[in-house]
Amino acid sequence: MTSPRYFRPDIEQKLDGLADLARDCSYSWVHGADEIWYELGAEFWTQTRNPWLVLQSVSRSRLEELTKNEAFCEKLSGIVSNHRKSLSEQRWFQQKQNTGLNSVAYFSMEFGLSEALPIYSGGLGLLAGDHLKSANDLGLPLVGVGLLYQNGYFRQAFDAEGNQIALYPNSDTSDLPVCPVRDANDEWLRIYLKTPLKLWVRVWQAQIGRLNLYLLDTNDPVNHPLDRCITTELYGGGSEQRLSQEILLGIGGWHVLQALGINPDVCHLNEGHAAFLVLARARHLMHQYGINFSTALTVSRAGNLFTTHTPVEAGFDRFSPEQIKNSLGIYAKEMDISLDTLLSLGRSPDDHNPASPFNMAYLAIHGSAAVNGVSRLHGQVSRAIFTPLFPNWPNSEIPVSHVTNGVHVPSWDSMEADALWTRLCGKSRWFCDPQEASSKFEQVTDNDLWQLRAKNRTRLVQFVRDEYGRELKVHANLSEREQENRALRLFDPNALTIGFARRFATYKRPNLLLTDPDRLARLLTNSERPVQLVISGKAHPADIPGQQLIKAWLQFMRRPDIREHAIFLSDYDMITAEYLVQGVDLWINTPRRPWEACGTSGMKILVNGGLNLSELDGWWAEAYSPEVGWSLNGLESEYSDHEQAQTLLDLLEYEIVPAFYNRNAAGIPEHWVTKMRASMVALTSYFSSNRMVREYTERFYLPLAENYHKRTTNNAALGSSLSQWLARLDDLWPKIHVDHIEIEQRDNRHFFSLQIYLGDLTAADVTVEIYSEPTPSDPVNVHAMHIDQPLPGAVNGYVYSLNIPATRPISDYTPRIKPHHPDCLIPLETHHILWLK
């Protein structure tokens, strides 16, 4: 791909590969390439961090000038050479043998790849972006599917009273690192979607190294003006627009993959927004194999993975039955299913209310072979949330596991941190296990670590001053000299710097520090041990309470005694986040437990030597130990806010501030640096998205692909037989009955005997067990019973028995009957269970 600005062949030859780099989102985090973009246009690069926009804006005379700069051309040539080599080199996944995994499609409503492509709002999008980045680093055969928004998420400003203003600047696609996808005839790929909207959908491509991200938009001139607005804003508009966007993502996204000849083995649904993919994939298999919808869903389910990020049941998208009927009624007819059947996929089995809403997370679970939360605690919370889908099943057996999130470390490390880790661990630095990292870090002196912090903090202080200076130019009636002096008085590059940045919502309790503003002020303004505070974050335009929390901070920071010690950086984005996570000494996170699904922001500081002070929620509940940081007390009561605020301020005043300022003769805070070292060694590589994506691959992508292939082999023979077995099970399960139960204790053993009549089911169709609630001392809580003998004169009647050591009271045990099939996912595919009491 070449730039139209080159014109002359000699310029194109000298700058060969420059346009490819500028369009490749992977070069938004390659520090070595920063110098290239800075040389092309320092101001544009500093303001936008958009290589493609920089290249589009540079003059031809400047390009000609750079072709005469041998150092520039040599550096560019080396980077281009490395880039091209990286596109074909063997990586982690290529070293695996006979995986059977050909392709993974990752569907997400938002992707946070870089500020050059503003199609994200917060943590969910950044996680999706980091997932794609690490998939590229690992050589995983993955494609992304999302939407290209004309305006993206809102940009934040404030009026004179501190009220948040939401602005939606239009994104010119020519300024974005995307290009139209071309079909075999070199025409722009456009998909015709009828659900029932008659839409032409344009398809764009973003490049992340060797991976493609396909982005859909409806801003096609042939569409109705209202339909062109479907992809205007991320999370904008009402529920009708949200429904249209989610249909576009799930159903439209699948059609795009088919048009491109991509038949993924595994589809990964990042949140319930993409759940309509379940319908599209099943419909495709109906036509491919000539099977009905129920069978197609059984087949396709084996290759779908659903990741939930929502910690509260009310957080899932829901749509009314009327909305589903109007938008997908025709689609249901095409799949030859009733509207009631379609609606049942978005409801729990016991919900027979025709007015109940359609839950997107329920649809995702009904159509997936695996479900996971994004931290250990969130997995526990999610099992409780999804209990209605598995009536009568114990919480411990709700089929929701977890993969704790990680962050793409190269996107968030400073140049100094990257150099340090590379020197110690080489190119494999983000694969470095804690034991190896600990050994390597013995080479790093306390002085090295403290210098790392000083350089990163200084860069943040300069960024904060620059941002404050721009704000003064707009809002303050001051001379240029007065503006410069006031900006210089803001912050001290040697003072303890605390960061707090996230979406402002009440459950995140972003104002916990403000519970006692005067005490906080005394901490910030202590002349001997000063503390400085940088805060940033947006509240959703419809979230008035969240906006009031921001306003309270702005009012506090206008106090004359606070003005030079605290700042709220407006319009929190990836550029601001980069400076923050690299520069802060301490990151604070104060959600109301257990409402933070994971909270990856605190992971981003690890590589840079920052420390965490956080509620024991999300990832920090797994990562925390006294050696690596600080924690709040983890109370879950809604009345604990005041107590936790006091704990937070006590930790700052009596532990954290002294640890930062108690220095040895060389001026180094030994206790602080010891924690830095422990945190960097123990946490950085584990809480990276490289570990996360490898875990997804080994635990989910590979086995799901294998099972999907099994169900599709021989014209979907296994999928068809399994579907028939499930239908037979539904019909015959109610006929099971038990006539006689004996439970008794003899000596030091428990004896169980059951007379079970299975009706038209066979003994191979069921498993009979003795169940007890798991405990730390007795994790083996399920014991299979065996058939003693057939019951005389009975069809499929048997005596089941078991005797086990009496390690627990006999009252702890309950007999039960479950379905059994070697290829069935129980209870995801059938929730039947019969408890015998």
Side-chain angles (χ1 to χ4, degrees):
M1 185 186 303
T2 57
S3 168
R5 290 186 171 273
Y6 290 4
F7 298 113
R8 285 175 24 197
D10 59 325
I11 295 180
E12 289 197 24
Q13 183 177 3
K14 284 276 192 177
L15 302 180
D16 177 46
L18 182 58
D20 293 330
L21 293 183
R23 273 269 175 86
D24 193 330
C25 292
S26 68
Y27 271 75
S28 62
W29 68 80
V30 177
H31 294 300
D34 290 357
E35 297 177 22
I36 299 292
W37 318 127
Y38 192 85
E39 285 282 349
L40 286 171
E43 184 176 356
F44 257 89
W45 171 244
T46 302
Q47 292 297 321
T48 68
R49 296 296 179 89
N50 184 338
W52 181 249
L53 183 57
V54 171
L55 184 57
Q56 294 294 96
S57 304
V58 68
S59 67
R60 185 170 64 174
S61 62
R62 178 59 178 157
L63 289 174
E64 291 177 350
E65 180 184 341
L66 287 171
T67 61
K68 300 171 185 176
N69 184 329
E70 291 187 9
F72 176 86
C73 292
E74 184 178 345
K75 186 172 186 63
L76 174 61
S77 176
I79 292 175
V80 169
S81 176
N82 289 335
H83 175 240
R84 289 171 175 168
K85 180 181 176 182
S86 73
L87 298 179
S88 58
E89 67 184 1
Q90 295 288 301
R91 297 190 179 178
W92 173 80
F93 186 78
Q94 282 71 46
Q95 295 169 7
K96 289 182 168 293
Q97 301 295 320
N98 303 319
T99 65
L101 178 65
N102 301 306
S103 177
V104 176
Y106 186 92
F107 287 71
S108 182
M109 186 70 95
E110 51 176 303
F111 288 90
L113 290 163
S114 79
E115 202 53 43
L117 191 57
I119 54 171
Y120 70 95
S121 70
L124 179 71
L126 293 177
L127 181 281
D130 284 1
H131 194 107
L132 264 58
K133 293 173 184 179
S134 281
N136 169 65
D137 295 345
L138 295 165
L140 197 67
L142 183 144
V143 297
V145 181
L147 305 182
L148 184 65
Y149 305 98
Q150 284 82 65
N151 299 335
Y153 199 53
F154 78 94
R155 312 301 300 202
Q156 180 191 54
F158 297 100
D159 63 19
E161 285 73 41
N163 298 304
Q164 178 178 276
I165 302 171
L167 305 172
Y168 292 90
N170 184 62
S171 293
D172 187 339
T173 51
S174 65
D175 294 337
L176 303 178
V178 297
C179 61
V181 174
R182 302 290 177 181
D183 62 18
N185 298 318
D186 201 34
E187 296 179 354
W188 193 346
L189 180 61
R190 296 160 74 238
I191 303 297
Y192 186 65
L193 196 61
K194 183 180 177 184
T195 58
L197 294 175
K198 296 179 177 136
L199 282 176
W200 280 103
V201 180
R202 305 188 302 185
V203 187
W204 303 80
Q205 175 183 311
Q207 197 75 29
I208 307 96
R210 62 179 71 195
L211 300 189
N212 294 326
L213 167 60
Y214 297 107
L215 299 169
L216 289 64
D217 96 271
T218 61
N219 190 26
D220 191 307
V222 302
N223 287 332
H224 187 280
L226 291 179
D227 295 338
R228 293 182 67 177
C229 295
I230 289 174
T231 51
T232 297
E233 299 170 9
L234 171 59
Y235 304 139
S239 63
E240 291 291 346
Q241 181 160 343
R242 178 70 71 88
L243 177 56
S244 296
Q245 288 183 344
E246 297 187 4
I247 290 173
L248 180 61
L249 175 62
I251 297 177
W254 178 260
H255 284 301
V256 166
L257 293 180
Q258 293 304 298
L260 292 169
I262 299 173
N263 285 292
D265 305 307
V266 176
C267 289
H268 189 163
L269 287 67
N270 190 41
E271 238 338 321
H273 310 129
F276 289 126
L277 162 75
V278 165
L279 305 180
R281 194 176 191 187
R283 182 173 178 267
H284 170 77
L285 292 178
M286 290 175 66
H287 293 289
Q288 182 176 357
Y289 295 114
I291 53 181
N292 61 24
F293 174 78
S294 177
T295 302
L297 184 63
T298 301
V299 174
S300 64
R301 178 188 291 120
N304 293 336
L305 167 65
F306 170 48
T307 296
T308 172
H309 298 256
T310 306
V312 289
E313 198 273 340
F316 297 114
D317 283 346
R318 291 176 172 80
F319 301 106
S320 70
E322 194 66 21
Q323 286 177 304
I324 297 298
K325 176 182 178 182
N326 293 339
S327 296
L328 291 166
I330 294 176
Y331 206 71
K333 289 182 180 179
E334 291 178 352
M335 294 185 292
D336 196 26
I337 60 173
S338 68
L339 184 65
D340 286 342
T341 299
L342 174 58
L343 288 170
S344 70
L345 294 173
R347 294 171 175 165
S348 66
D350 291 340
D351 187 348
H352 305 295
N353 180 358
S356 291
F358 184 90
N359 187 313
M360 292 295 287
Y362 285 7
L363 172 62
I365 292 175
H366 280 132
S368 296
V371 183
N372 73 279
V374 290
S375 69
R376 182 173 60 206
L377 181 58
H378 182 235
Q380 298 171 9
V381 170
S382 297
R383 284 190 284 278
I385 290 175
F386 294 130
T387 296
L389 286 177
F390 306 96
N392 300 318
W393 283 81
N395 182 274
S396 61
E397 294 183 318
I398 302 299
V400 180
S401 60
H402 78 275
V403 176
T404 301
N405 283 343
V407 298
H408 186 249
V409 180
S411 293
W412 304 106
D413 64 347
S414 69
M415 289 183 288
E416 293 82 5
D418 190 82
L420 172 67
W421 283 88
T422 303
R423 174 166 62 87
L424 293 175
C425 303
K427 290 181 65 176
S428 63
R429 57 197 181 280
W430 312 131
F431 296 86
C432 199
D433 62 54
Q435 187 173 359
E436 181 184 353
S438 179
S439 173
K440 300 283 189 181
F441 257 74
E442 291 178 2
Q443 306 171 31
V444 184
T445 67
D446 285 359
N447 183 67
D448 290 337
L449 292 178
W450 195 233
Q451 285 295 323
L452 170 68
R453 288 295 329 122
K455 290 176 181 178
N456 288 345
R457 189 188 315 111
T458 300
R459 191 180 296 115
L460 171 61
V461 168
Q462 186 59 54
F463 175 75
V464 166
R465 288 173 176 172
D466 290 344
E467 292 298 299
Y468 185 51
R470 275 191 282 272
E471 182 181 313
L472 290 176
K473 288 179 182 178
V474 175
H475 298 293
N477 186 21
L478 300 172
S479 68
E480 187 171 338
R481 182 62 179 272
E482 288 173 320
Q483 291 173 14
E484 291 177 358
N485 288 338
R486 184 175 288 189
L488 284 173
R489 289 197 298 269
L490 178 68
F491 278 25
D492 176 351
N494 294 308
L496 172 61
T497 304
I498 298 175
F500 184 97
R502 59 196 29 83
R503 179 167 61 89
F504 269 64
T506 53
Y507 81 87
K508 292 181 179 284
R509 300 188 301 182
N511 288 33
L512 201 62
L513 273 172
L514 274 182
T515 303
D516 190 341
D518 290 334
R519 185 179 179 190
L520 176 60
R522 290 194 298 272
L523 274 172
L524 296 175
T525 59
N526 186 305
S527 59
E528 295 182 358
R529 293 179 167 182
V531 177
Q532 50 206 23
L533 182 63
V534 55
I535 294 180
S536 193
K538 298 176 180 179
H540 189 280
D543 184 1
I544 303 304
Q547 294 177 41
Q548 291 302 312
L549 296 174
I550 294 177
K551 188 173 183 178
W553 270 115
L554 293 174
Q555 291 171 343
F556 172 75
M557 290 175 181
R558 289 174 180 173
R559 288 175 44 167
D561 57 332
I562 300 301
R563 190 177 296 145
E564 296 176 7
H565 303 276
I567 188 171
F568 191 102
L569 296 176
S570 63
D571 199 33
Y572 186 42
D573 60 13
M574 291 182 72
I575 296 176
T576 301
E578 183 179 324
Y579 280 100
L580 283 175
V581 300
Q582 292 176 10
V584 298
D585 299 296
L586 182 74
W587 191 265
I588 291 181
N589 192 21
T590 56
R592 179 172 289 113
R593 175 184 164 113
W595 287 14
E596 183 87 289
C598 186
T600 57
S601 60
M603 299 177 187
K604 298 180 176 78
I605 71 168
L606 299 172
V607 67
N608 301 301
L611 297 176
N612 280 275
L613 163 57
S614 177
E615 173 62 89
L616 286 175
D617 199 5
W619 79 283
W620 194 239
E622 300 170 43
Y624 169 72
S625 71
E627 294 77 25
V628 299
W630 295 270
S631 75
L632 297 181
N633 53 24
L635 296 178
E636 298 182 18
S637 167
E638 61 181 300
Y639 304 108
S640 67
D641 285 6
H642 178 75
E643 179 182 353
Q644 288 201 305
Q646 293 306 311
T647 300
L648 178 59
L649 290 166
D650 285 347
L651 283 170
L652 288 170
E653 183 173 358
Y654 301 123
E655 291 190 36
I656 294 171
V657 173
F660 185 86
Y661 283 106
N662 288 342
R663 311 289 172 90
N664 62 17
I668 296 175
E670 292 179 339
H671 181 57
W672 188 277
V673 172
T674 298
K675 278 184 178 285
M676 276 180 58
R677 187 187 300 273
S679 172
M680 295 175 78
V681 167
L683 306 181
T684 302
S685 60
Y686 182 80
F687 291 101
S688 74
S689 52
N690 271 350
R691 184 273 311 158
M692 176 188 74
V693 173
R694 283 183 290 160
E695 190 171 344
Y696 272 117
T697 301
E698 291 169 339
R699 287 183 50 201
F700 294 109
Y701 295 164
L702 294 177
L704 262 61
E706 181 181 0
N707 288 334
Y708 177 71
H709 292 157
K710 284 177 64 176
R711 292 193 184 188
T712 56
T713 299
N714 296 326
N715 206 38
L718 174 59
S720 298
S721 66
L722 180 56
S723 179
Q724 294 168 9
W725 181 82
L726 288 168
R728 176 170 164 268
L729 188 73
D730 288 341
D731 290 339
L732 301 179
W733 188 261
K735 296 182 179 180
I736 298 175
H737 65 279
V738 178
D739 273 358
H740 185 67
I741 301 175
E742 291 184 16
I743 302 176
E744 60 181 22
Q745 182 172 342
R746 305 175 192 166
D747 299 324
N748 292 318
R749 302 188 70 82
H750 296 320
F751 287 82
F752 305 87
S753 178
L754 312 176
Q755 294 181 8
I756 300 177
Y757 295 86
L758 298 175
D760 291 314
L761 293 174
T762 70
D765 293 322
V766 301
T767 297
V768 183
E769 298 173 337
I770 300 297
Y771 173 87
S772 59
E773 285 291 335
T775 66
S777 60
D778 185 19
V780 181
N781 64 311
V782 176
H783 304 272
M785 301 186 73
H786 60 269
I787 296 176
D788 257 0
Q789 57 188 15
L791 285 167
V795 177
N796 293 324
Y798 305 95
V799 176
Y800 285 80
S801 65
L802 176 71
N803 76 85
I804 56 175
T807 56
R808 297 174 63 169
I810 199 167
S811 58
D812 283 2
Y813 297 95
T814 305
R816 68 182 189 182
I817 304 175
K818 297 188 319 186
H820 173 75
H821 188 290
D823 295 297
C824 185
L825 303 168
I826 298 171
L828 269 172
E829 296 189 286
T830 175
H831 61 267
H832 291 300
I833 190 167
L834 180 62
W835 295 91
L836 309 175
K837 298 182 179 179

